Amino acid sequence: MRSSALQQFLRFVFAPNPGRATYGSTSILSLLIACGTLVVLSFIIAVWRRSHANSVTRKLSRTWSSVSFWFGIVGLVLVVSRVEQIQFLAMRFFWVLWVLALLVYVFVQLRLFRARHYEILPRVSAADPREKYLPGKKKK
């Protein structure tokens, strides 16, 4: 009993041509919008990064724009492949890999950002009026 359920699940995930899908379906439209949003977001991130003043944030966000663009493009290719029934590119397994890769990237970036983000604080020296009357350090 268990092996047949597992076989059905594997057939479901690895089916080379999983069936009819149309551009009018809500799941396909939502995937198209999500992937298109990633592509547009990549350009917004690039503009935001250029205008950001903190150099550490700019350094840590260096890959965000290109990764967002490529995840969006790959997602769009997967959606179009599914609707146009391009065999083997329409497999649901590629969506599983796509989501796992996106989650791993976001997790690693969050960890790096939390570990390496810092802000350089300006040095504030207190002007002591007595300082000019006190003896200085000895010079060797």
Side-chain angles (χ1 to χ4, degrees):
M1 182 78 180
R2 265 190 143 175
S3 66
S4 71
L6 180 62
Q7 287 175 347
Q8 287 177 349
F9 175 73
L10 290 176
R11 276 191 204 121
F12 176 77
V13 172
F14 289 105
N17 198 355
R20 288 299 288 164
T22 61
Y23 288 112
S25 110
T26 55
S27 60
I28 296 295
L29 282 176
S30 62
L31 284 172
L32 283 172
I33 289 171
C35 294
T37 303
L38 281 174
V39 171
V40 171
L41 186 66
S42 71
F43 297 112
I44 294 171
I45 290 172
V47 170
W48 168 80
R49 189 175 170 275
R50 272 188 242 117
S51 66
H52 207 291
N54 190 344
S55 64
V56 177
T57 305
R58 273 199 321 266
K59 182 178 179 183
L60 290 173
S61 64
R62 178 177 28 209
T63 62
W64 294 358
S65 176
S66 63
V67 168
S68 174
F69 179 78
W70 284 110
F71 268 105
I73 292 295
V74 169
L76 287 172
V77 166
L78 290 175
V79 170
V80 171
S81 297
R82 173 71 191 269
V83 173
E84 299 297 330
Q85 295 182 349
I86 300 172
Q87 282 194 340
F88 296 106
L89 285 180
M91 273 197 290
R92 292 179 182 102
F93 180 69
F94 287 127
W95 279 106
V96 172
L97 288 178
W98 187 84
V99 168
L100 284 176
L102 183 63
L103 290 176
V104 166
Y105 177 78
V106 168
F107 176 74
V108 168
Q109 286 298 312
L110 284 173
R111 296 280 304 219
L112 284 175
F113 198 80
R114 289 185 69 196
R116 294 185 178 174
H117 190 266
Y118 59 89
E119 188 173 334
I120 300 173
L121 299 174
R123 286 193 168 188
V124 178
S125 61
D128 189 8
R130 301 173 294 167
E131 193 170 316
K132 64 181 177 183
Y133 299 109
L134 294 174
K137 290 185 178 182
K138 293 183 179 180
K139 297 180 183 179
K140 291 184 177 183

